[in-house]
Amino acid sequence: MAAASTTTRTLLLFSPFRTSLTSSSSSYSFHNFPKLPFSSFKTTTTSTYTYCCYHSSTQSQSQSQSSPSPRLNNKSNNNVIEILQQRGLIESLTSPDLHDAAAVSSSPLKVYCGFDPTAQSLHLGNLLGIIVLSWFHRLGHQPVALIGGATARVGDPSGKSLERPDLDLDSLRRNTLGIESTIARILSENSVILNNYDWWKEVKLLDFLKDVGKYARVGTMMAKESVKKRLESEQGMSYTEFTYQLLQGYDFLHLYKNEGVRVQIGGSDQWGNITAGTELIRKVLQVEKGAYGLTFPLLLKSDGTKFGKSEDGAIWLSPAMLSPYKFYQYFFSVPDSDVVRFLKMLTFLELEEIDELEREMGGVGYVPNTAQRRLAEEVTRFVHGEEGLMEAIKATKALRPGAETKLDWETIEGIAEDVPSCSLKYDQVVNVQLVELSVSAGLFESKSAARRLLKQGGLYLNNSRVDGEDKRIEAEDIVDGKVVLLSAGKKNKVLVRIS
């Protein structure tokens, strides 16, 4: 067997607050991370800040039998850090001590993730944060969701090329309510939801500068990659955005001091903001250990592009902005090259079951999209509940051309916003040739194109294939007297509403 190829990556991590590792604190080491297949952490001290380098080695799939990758069973393993690492949900940790702090024998941890209400709904990019919070809860810890009612007025510059547009107060309130509803629906009674505006509204500028600003080093703040890119751009960066990392750092300090929150989680682009908080806690409260940060990787497809965008825009978690049917369809269309990784990251299935699905994918007799169907079912159930999943499955079956499921208005109404539609008068539909209607409804650009697909067996009326070119629409073809569904192949559809 060919030797496994090995790649090594180094992450350079830093905090905007001055730190030092003196001889008295030399025990604060990043070495010997217990029980995890990580290599060691290293620290290098300078006069202004600490660089923490985490070396992560990944092997190719052709590993030798003498050194198999360790497998962790969700049922037998009770350490959330080990489970998250095994499922590819850890990018970086501020300290390896979090592993022991998260052990089942230790006191439960309070863990928070922040969500700025910049839109009426969270999107797929936020889902990993909710999943990681849920993993902590499943292992006996307390999740806390923090709504950034204050920080959303500033705007996080991380990963942004332009400053966010200002949000008026009505939009902020509306967005906050929408996000609170989404989090409460997904995590149910498992989470505490807080809003940082509740304490920021009492903070005075001079007090903030005296209590927080004196610990920040401007040079280090400017060295942050997102800040450097913005400063080098034509638009530059406002002082308001520049201070965002200090505001998020203060949030962690407040939650640590007043709510007993010891861990902050976030995407890999949040590392600088998270370490701002752990260092502020250390400097202000003189706490060397006890506050931790964890980042998870950004959700990317195998080609390196961001997962979570469709041709129509973001994949929203609110059913008011994206139906469970369309949410389900997005995951059903994941390519084979990504589906196993997403099953590990986005579902709570046992790793053994995911391994079995992966083996089946490479075997004889595998039914295409079986793994994708399982992914779509699990993620849709987590986000939209059992009722939302049933709605999505029912619509998927009913709207599949050639399906035997009888269409009704209730089923069509559930996906009406996800299918192109037009309104025509009754006499513009009844007794009109199907070929002509498919053109006037916008399904085809020409009658010749419609006839060509019809002859190939790809033109459907209410999911029933039409073979005759002279087919005319009859009154009984109108579903519940309200709509007609035309399909060109399996994916292209148009809904004709009878006005």
Side-chain angles (χ1 to χ4, degrees):
M1 181 179 292
S5 62
T6 301
T7 59
T8 301
R9 58 183 177 144
T10 300
L11 301 180
L12 185 63
L13 314 174
F14 58 86
S15 164
F17 294 100
R18 178 173 53 193
T19 66
S20 63
L21 295 177
T22 62
S23 57
S24 62
S25 63
S26 60
S27 61
Y28 188 66
S29 171
F30 290 81
H31 291 279
N32 301 323
F33 200 123
K35 300 181 182 178
L36 288 178
F38 291 164
S39 55
S40 61
F41 290 80
K42 299 179 181 179
T43 59
T44 303
T45 304
T46 71
S47 59
T48 56
Y49 49 86
T50 299
Y51 290 102
C52 168
C53 296
Y54 158 47
H55 300 274
S56 173
S57 296
T58 57
Q59 292 182 314
S60 70
Q61 294 181 349
S62 57
Q63 297 184 14
S64 65
Q65 295 180 356
S66 60
S67 57
S69 176
R71 306 299 295 169
L72 300 177
N73 187 298
N74 297 351
K75 294 178 181 179
S76 62
N77 183 52
N78 291 317
N79 192 299
V80 66
I81 301 302
E82 293 180 6
I83 289 175
L84 293 176
Q85 192 276 334
Q86 185 70 14
R87 301 181 80 97
L89 287 170
I90 291 182
E91 179 86 10
S92 314
L93 299 174
T94 57
S95 168
D97 293 335
L98 179 56
H99 176 272
D100 291 335
V104 70
S105 59
S106 303
S107 299
L109 296 169
K110 283 190 176 181
V111 184
Y112 96 92
C113 186
F115 305 94
D116 278 351
T118 54
Q120 292 184 50
S121 170
L122 298 177
H123 52 76
L124 198 54
N126 305 120
L127 184 58
L128 277 183
I130 298 176
I131 286 173
V132 173
L133 284 180
S134 187
W135 270 117
F136 271 94
H137 177 263
R138 287 163 184 253
L139 274 297
H141 305 287
Q142 173 64 62
V144 177
L146 180 65
I147 308 298
T151 43
R153 304 181 185 210
V154 174
D156 185 359
S158 301
K160 302 297 178 184
S161 58
L162 296 173
E163 188 165 356
R164 293 182 184 272
D166 291 335
L167 291 171
D168 59 77
L169 293 181
D170 286 341
S171 296
L172 274 174
R173 292 190 190 99
R174 183 171 59 252
N175 294 351
T176 297
L177 289 174
I179 290 176
E180 285 179 349
S181 175
T182 298
I183 294 173
R185 186 187 75 250
I186 297 175
L187 295 179
S188 62
E189 73 283 355
N190 300 336
S191 66
V192 173
I193 301 177
L194 303 175
N195 190 324
N196 64 9
Y197 184 71
D198 292 339
W199 54 84
W200 275 109
K201 64 184 179 183
E202 307 295 340
V203 176
K204 296 180 180 179
L205 176 60
L206 293 180
D207 291 337
F208 178 73
L209 293 175
K210 176 174 67 71
D211 297 336
V212 178
K214 66 181 180 181
Y215 295 109
R217 306 268 66 84
V218 173
T220 306
M221 293 174 67
M222 293 181 66
K224 187 177 178 183
E225 190 65 26
S226 61
V227 174
K228 286 197 299 183
K229 286 183 178 180
R230 289 288 297 280
L231 290 176
E232 293 169 356
S233 69
E234 184 178 342
Q235 292 79 16
M237 170 180 271
S238 69
Y239 173 76
T240 302
E241 281 189 303
F242 184 62
T243 62
Y244 186 93
Q245 57 187 292
L246 304 185
L247 305 185
Q248 186 168 327
Y250 182 82
D251 280 342
F252 198 0
L253 172 65
H254 176 91
L255 292 171
Y256 182 94
K257 183 177 179 181
N258 297 283
E259 303 290 342
V261 174
R262 297 175 60 194
V263 183
Q264 180 182 179
I265 66 170
S268 57
D269 58 344
Q270 292 297 305
W271 178 260
N273 295 336
I274 290 174
T275 54
T278 56
E279 287 301 323
L280 188 59
I281 291 168
R282 191 178 72 84
K283 299 296 291 185
V284 173
L285 302 180
Q286 298 296 302
V287 176
E288 286 297 329
K289 296 183 179 181
Y292 307 101
L294 178 157
T295 62
F296 41 82
L298 298 179
L299 203 56
L300 302 176
K301 294 186 285 189
S302 56
D303 61 5
T305 59
K306 186 175 291 186
F307 182 72
K309 296 283 187 180
S310 70
E311 294 179 358
D312 300 322
I315 304 300
W316 302 106
L317 305 187
S318 168
M321 298 184 68
L322 188 74
S323 72
Y325 163 75
K326 198 160 189 178
F327 185 87
Y328 177 96
Q329 289 297 318
Y330 184 77
F331 285 95
F332 190 78
S333 63
V334 166
D336 287 348
S337 57
D338 292 322
V339 67
V340 172
R341 182 164 52 91
F342 289 163
L343 279 166
K344 292 178 181 179
M345 298 178 72
L346 300 176
T347 79
F348 300 91
L349 295 175
E350 293 290 334
L351 292 175
E352 288 77 5
E353 184 174 352
I354 297 173
D355 289 343
E356 179 62 27
L357 281 170
E358 184 175 17
R359 284 192 292 270
E360 290 176 0
M361 289 178 66
V364 178
Y366 173 73
V367 179
N369 293 323
T370 298
Q372 283 86 344
R373 180 178 292 105
R374 192 63 192 277
L375 174 67
E377 289 175 354
E378 293 297 320
V379 181
T380 304
R381 180 186 289 111
F382 179 68
V383 173
H384 293 291
E386 196 67 35
E387 184 177 345
L389 174 60
M390 291 300 101
E391 175 188 326
I393 292 176
K394 180 181 178 182
T396 298
K397 290 181 178 178
L399 295 175
R400 185 174 65 248
E404 296 180 359
T405 306
K406 182 177 174 59
L407 283 176
D408 56 48
W409 168 243
E410 183 180 352
T411 301
I412 292 178
E413 187 179 29
I415 56 90
E417 294 183 357
D418 305 319
V419 176
S421 63
C422 67
S423 294
L424 295 174
K425 294 180 180 180
Y426 183 85
D427 58 5
Q428 292 177 301
V429 176
V430 175
N431 206 34
V432 174
Q433 278 194 338
L434 176 61
V435 169
E436 183 178 341
L437 179 63
S438 64
V439 174
S440 60
L443 186 62
F444 295 98
E445 293 184 355
S446 65
K447 292 182 182 179
S448 60
R451 291 191 184 98
R452 186 162 51 249
L453 189 62
L454 186 149
K455 291 177 180 178
Q456 296 171 355
L459 184 57
Y460 294 83
L461 170 63
N462 296 333
N463 286 344
S464 296
R465 189 171 67 184
V466 177
D467 297 318
E469 188 175 322
D470 57 350
K471 165 65 180 173
R472 291 180 179 271
I473 306 299
E474 302 175 30
E476 52 266 30
D477 292 325
I478 302 176
V479 178
D480 293 342
K482 297 178 180 179
V483 294
V484 172
L485 181 65
L486 305 179
S487 304
K490 294 182 178 181
K491 295 184 178 180
N492 297 323
K493 304 177 188 295
V494 67
L495 198 62
V496 180
R497 301 175 184 272
I498 309 302
S499 61

